[in-house]
Amino acid sequence: MDKKSSHRADRLRPKPRAITVVLTVLAFALAACGTNAAAVQGPTSSALGPGLRMGPVELVTSDLEGLHRFYTEGVGLTTLSSDEDDVILGTEGTELFRLIAAGSPDAAPDDYSQAGLYHSAFLFPDATELASAVLRTATLKPDSFQGSSDHKVSHAFYFADPEGNGVELYADTPEDTWEWNDGLVTMGSAALDPNAYIATHLGNRTPNASAKDVSMGHVHLRGGDLQQAEEFYEDGLGFAVTARSQGAIFLAANGYHHHLAVNTWSSAGAGKRPDSLGLRTVSIHVADVAELDAVASRLTAHKIPHELGKGTLTTQDPWGTGITVRVAG
């Protein structure tokens, strides 16, 4: 790397912030996932069928301009539409993220002792695109970097946006290298040097101004109780548990390592979420109307309140986080 690139990469070194403690918990927790070497190989089948993908995450913010800049100039999303109260972001015309201006200047900040968003995880198609996003984001907001890890199934870099909402930028490792034992995937947490990663995969090249082929890979939530989370997200919505650890569960459809996760590391025992900044809604896209109807039938069978409309179902998880399931367009 030249001096300029090296200087920018050096700014990636983590800063001591409270969320780093939680990331340390994540490292130890993931190291314990899926380690039964004598068990049967392969993921557990999910009730949700092929074609599922995560849809846009909606955040309420008191700093619409600041978050807009972070997710475009840093993460690399494209502005699909924008006005003074609402910004829709995505890539190649696909909506991935929505920022909504808070209705009051006195809106309470997100409280990490309550349920809510742990991080939105943007999936990049390859290491070059990921390295570009990491360098863009760290150059724009050097103090936002929280850590990085080789999770075996993915390479991940963690940030916090200007209001403290967690952000993961990651790329998957080849699927045929993932290790499954008794339906659970092994997710480690080995050291991953961001400077070396950028040097290896980007070198002296300048990152593109925007990301290509990025998607919402998974969403990681804070909840109050793991059993309740499992009953709602597995029994109700139809995901399969793919990993368990102390204080967290990971869930997916179709053999992915995880589309959703819920932890109680800072929010154990939390009740219904108060009105605040931060997460409003998580969206899930399913393949067709039959799949949507099946979700509605499961929710009905488990007495989980929901509303089913034309191509869309809305419900809330046990802590009041909005969940929208819709047929992919």
Side-chain angles (χ1 to χ4, degrees):
M1 300 174 68
D2 59 23
K3 289 185 177 179
K4 183 177 180 181
S5 297
S6 177
H7 174 69
R8 288 187 299 175
D10 284 343
R11 298 169 71 187
L12 286 168
R13 293 191 177 92
K15 305 296 188 295
R17 294 177 57 164
I19 195 171
T20 305
V21 176
V22 182
L23 287 171
T24 301
V25 174
L26 176 62
F28 283 106
L30 287 177
C33 293
T35 57
N36 183 0
V40 176
Q41 302 296 310
T44 301
S45 297
S46 61
L48 286 164
L52 180 138
R53 63 180 176 85
M54 299 304 294
V57 169
E58 294 183 353
L59 294 183
V60 178
T61 176
S62 62
D63 183 13
L64 190 63
E65 182 179 350
L67 266 65
H68 186 186
R69 186 181 179 207
F70 179 88
Y71 287 101
T72 52
E73 296 181 24
V75 176
L77 302 182
T78 301
T79 303
L80 302 182
S81 69
S82 177
D83 59 38
E84 62 182 9
D85 297 318
D86 192 309
V87 172
I88 295 177
L89 305 172
T91 182
E92 286 88 39
T94 299
E95 181 181 351
L96 298 178
F97 214 62
R98 184 180 180 190
L99 301 172
I100 302 167
S104 167
D106 301 320
D110 186 26
D111 182 350
Y112 267 68
S113 70
Q114 300 296 324
L117 181 68
Y118 186 65
H119 59 237
S120 305
F122 296 94
L123 174 61
F124 292 82
D126 54 48
T128 300
E129 284 290 335
L130 176 57
S132 294
V134 172
L135 184 54
R136 274 195 310 267
T137 306
T139 301
L140 177 68
K141 296 286 290 185
D143 62 349
S144 68
F145 181 64
Q146 302 296 339
S148 53
S149 188
D150 179 346
H151 291 311
K152 292 191 175 181
V153 297
S154 65
H155 295 149
F157 299 84
Y158 297 94
F159 295 82
D161 75 15
E163 287 189 329
N165 299 295
V167 179
E168 178 182 339
L169 310 179
Y170 79 107
D172 285 333
T173 58
E175 188 173 348
D176 60 8
T177 67
W178 300 354
E179 299 175 6
W180 294 89
N181 297 293
D182 199 23
L184 302 181
V185 67
T186 300
M187 291 193 287
S189 196
L192 183 62
D193 183 339
N195 301 302
Y197 193 90
I198 290 170
T200 299
H201 299 292
L202 193 62
N204 295 327
R205 288 170 290 171
T206 300
N208 294 327
S210 60
K212 297 179 180 179
D213 298 323
V214 64
S215 61
M216 184 60 68
H218 66 266
V219 181
H220 193 145
L221 302 172
R222 307 188 309 262
D225 180 86
L226 295 186
Q227 182 175 344
Q228 285 182 286
E230 191 168 336
E231 290 170 353
F232 176 81
Y233 287 104
E234 182 173 47
D235 300 341
L237 289 184
F239 289 96
V241 172
T242 55
R244 303 177 188 273
S245 66
Q246 185 174 0
I249 59 169
F250 302 81
L251 309 103
N254 310 316
Y256 192 52
H257 52 75
H258 68 295
H259 288 107
L260 277 164
V262 182
N263 76 62
T264 59
W265 297 325
S266 66
S267 56
K272 288 288 184 180
R273 294 177 53 194
D275 289 335
S276 69
L277 302 176
L279 182 63
R280 173 178 283 185
T281 303
V282 174
S283 298
I284 300 162
H285 290 177
V286 295
D288 52 37
V289 173
E291 193 74 69
L292 187 69
D293 289 343
V295 173
S297 296
R298 284 192 295 273
L299 293 175
T300 298
H302 288 87
K303 300 180 180 179
I304 297 172
H306 61 279
E307 293 185 8
L308 179 62
K310 186 177 181 180
T312 303
L313 180 150
T314 57
T315 186
Q316 291 185 344
D317 78 3
W319 306 279
T321 293
I323 305 294
T324 299
V325 185
R326 58 171 47 98
V327 176

